[in-house]
């Protein structure tokens, strides 16, 4: 059965795969296509590695960085004029960063502690 962390990693794999394949159905430039493919594959591989317990907790930090890079990529790689590719990068990047942040050990520990009054 999936635990919360494993579910987050599965969602990251789906987000990465969606991002990598999105150039099949959104308008894009060559820069946008390769940016989405490379960052999408890296996000999916990081999620898969964490699902397989092959990566340590530091993979969650990598997930946050990859999500942030994906989010800013339309401006950095100058494809913000391509609406479909930009929105894919913004939404998938933000969701990836949030999923990565929620699974970071320090944040995860705070979310699961119970305060007694």
């Amino acid at each position: 059965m999936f635990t919360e962390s494993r579910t987050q990693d599965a969602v990251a794999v789906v987000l990465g795969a969606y991002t990598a394949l999105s150039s099949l159905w959104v308008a894009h430039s060559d820069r946008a296509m390769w940016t989405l493919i490379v960052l999408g594959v890296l996000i999916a591989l990081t999620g898969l590695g964490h699902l397989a317990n092959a990566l340590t907790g530091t993979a969650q930090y990598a997930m946050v960085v990859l999500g942030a890079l994906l989010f800013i990529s339309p401006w950095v790689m100058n494809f913000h004029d391509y609406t479909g590719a930009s929105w894919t990068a913004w939404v998938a990047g933000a969701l990836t960063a949030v999923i990565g942040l929620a699974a970071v050990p320090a944040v995860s520990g705070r979310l699961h502690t119970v305060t007694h009054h």
Side-chain angles (χ1 to χ4, degrees), residues 72-95:
I72 65 170
S73 67
W75 297 293
V76 173
M77 298 303 289
N78 199 22
F79 64 88
H80 56 279
D81 292 334
Y82 294 93
T83 307
S86 295
W87 277 101
T88 298
W90 292 327
V91 172
L95 290 174

Side-chain angles (χ1 to χ4, degrees), residues 6-116:
R6 294 180 68 72
T7 303
Q8 291 168 339
D9 295 329
V11 170
V13 171
V14 171
L15 283 171
Y18 178 84
T19 301
L21 296 173
S22 67
S23 61
L24 296 173
W25 57 79
V26 298
H28 57 78
S29 64
D30 284 341
R31 282 184 176 181
M33 178 185 71
W34 286 110
T35 302
L36 293 173
I37 289 171
V38 169
L39 289 175
V41 167
L42 288 173
I43 290 168
L45 287 176
T46 304
L48 281 173
H50 208 266
L51 268 174
N53 291 326
L55 299 175
T56 62
T58 57
Q60 298 306 334
Y61 294 105
M63 190 79 67
V64 174
V65 170
L66 290 171
L69 288 174
L70 184 59
F71 184 82
I72 65 170
S73 67
W75 297 293
V76 173
M77 298 303 289
N78 199 22
F79 64 88
H80 56 279
D81 292 334
Y82 294 93
T83 307
S86 295
W87 277 101
T88 298
W90 292 327
V91 172
L95 290 174
T96 301
V98 168
I99 288 170
L101 275 175
V104 167
V107 175
S108 181
R110 287 185 181 153
L111 291 175
H112 293 92
T113 58
V114 177
T115 57
H116 300 282

